[in-house]
Each structure stands twice: as structure tokens, then as C-alpha cells.
Amino acid sequence: MAQRPAARLSVNGQSHEYHGDPRRSLLDVLRLDLGLTGTKKGCDHGQCGACTVIVNGRRINSCLTLAVMHDEDEITTIEGIGTPDALSTLQAAFVAHDGFQCGYCTPGQICSATAMIEEIRQGWPSAVTADPADKPAVADAEIRERMSGNLCRCGAYDNILAAIRNAMAQTEAAQ
């Protein structure tokens, strides 16, 4: 009788069965088992955001969760957002606005910003949203608050903000 996998993961639209150690983090499974090295290991404590991925539409720190907790979940890594030949709107904006320097945090920044843009579109409030009953204003303070879990050691925050604002404007104009 075949043993059921510890988790069935859908990563970037592809199904994977994980049979390994149930104590292994999602980050390590993505990088070491699936070879998706775009997701970075920064602090391994959930403080830097380099490991941010999107699970069922919500951004999470993949270093803080076990892979087996995501059985049947839809996981999107930076590799699932765009490719060098077909950049997402946000990735292209990061390039155009020099939203990266060393690039180590960039995959986590882009995954986080991708989910953040959808949060704002759906009207989710943040800690700085003036009235939680109103749709959040797309102000710099709103974006900075929502991206505060993603650190950039190089200090490219102003360029990251410009890239996000540009991508949001392009997305809004296309709708």
C-alpha cells in the first residue's frame, strides 16, 4: 500500500508531493527539495521578510511555517510571479525604479507587494488606515506600513515605494 505524502503542495501551479520530515519549514522545502531558490533565507526568525511567499492569496514568512501545514494550499513564489522573459508589472516597475540594489530581499519584497496590492484592492484596512470601514487610501504611509515586514539592508525603500506606486497605477489604468 502506497504511503500518503506528508503534504501535497501546489507551487506555482505545479503539484508536488512532500514525503519528508514533517518538521521541515516551507522555506527549506521550497529551496532544498523543489529547487526554487528565489525565495531567500534571511534571518530564519520571520523578522526580515526575505522568505515571503503567497499562500492562498495571503503573504506569509515561509521560514515560520511547516511545509506539512500547507497540504492542498496554493503557494506562489517569485518564480510563479514572472520570468526574466515575461516580467510581471511589479517586477518591471522594480527594474524601472531601481527598487533593488543587492537584490537579496527583492523576491520577498515583490511577493509581499503583490499580495499587498490585492489587499488594498479588496479594501483590507491596515494599522494606519484612517477608518477601517473605508477603502484604504493608497498613500505612502499606507504602503510603508503594509511593507514594514520586509527589510532592505541596502536602504532602497524610496525606490521600492516608487516601484509599488507605479505598478499600482499601471494596474489601475489597465482595469
Side-chain angles (χ1 to χ4, degrees):
M1 179 178 226
Q3 180 183 0
R4 185 190 187 290
R8 290 185 177 105
L9 307 173
S10 176
V11 182
N12 302 326
Q14 294 187 321
S15 184
H16 301 274
E17 290 188 353
Y18 178 65
H19 295 275
D21 188 339
R23 298 167 294 178
R24 198 145 193 206
S25 72
L26 178 58
L27 171 63
D28 286 342
V29 169
L30 292 171
R31 288 183 58 78
L32 303 174
D33 295 292
L34 302 182
L36 298 171
T37 58
T39 305
K40 303 299 185 218
K41 183 179 278 200
C43 66
D44 222 14
H45 296 287
Q47 297 173 339
C48 72
C51 68
T52 304
V53 297
I54 302 169
V55 177
N56 297 331
R58 299 195 65 181
R59 53 195 164 143
I60 67 164
N61 292 330
S62 61
C63 73
L64 293 181
T65 187
L66 302 175
V68 296
M69 295 170 66
H70 298 287
D71 188 38
E72 304 292 334
D73 285 348
E74 294 291 327
I75 301 163
T76 304
T77 68
I78 190 68
E79 292 91 349
I81 290 178
T83 67
D85 296 329
L87 297 175
S88 73
T89 301
L90 189 57
Q91 288 170 315
F94 262 69
V95 172
H97 291 276
D98 198 21
F100 56 91
Q101 287 184 25
C102 78
Y104 196 82
C105 73
T106 306
Q109 296 275 0
I110 290 174
C111 283
S112 188
T114 298
M116 179 211 63
I117 290 168
E118 184 60 21
E119 291 168 9
I120 290 174
R121 191 187 72 69
Q122 291 182 15
W124 295 7
S126 77
V128 299
T129 304
D131 183 349
D134 293 338
K135 184 176 180 182
V138 186
D140 289 355
E142 187 75 40
I143 296 170
R144 287 181 191 278
E145 167 63 23
R146 290 172 185 264
M147 292 296 293
S148 65
N150 291 83
L151 303 180
C152 173
R153 294 177 186 155
C154 301
Y157 295 112
D158 289 338
N159 297 1
I160 292 167
L161 178 63
I164 292 169
R165 289 186 75 57
N166 179 265
M168 290 177 81
Q170 286 184 46
T171 303
E172 201 171 285
Q175 292 177 353

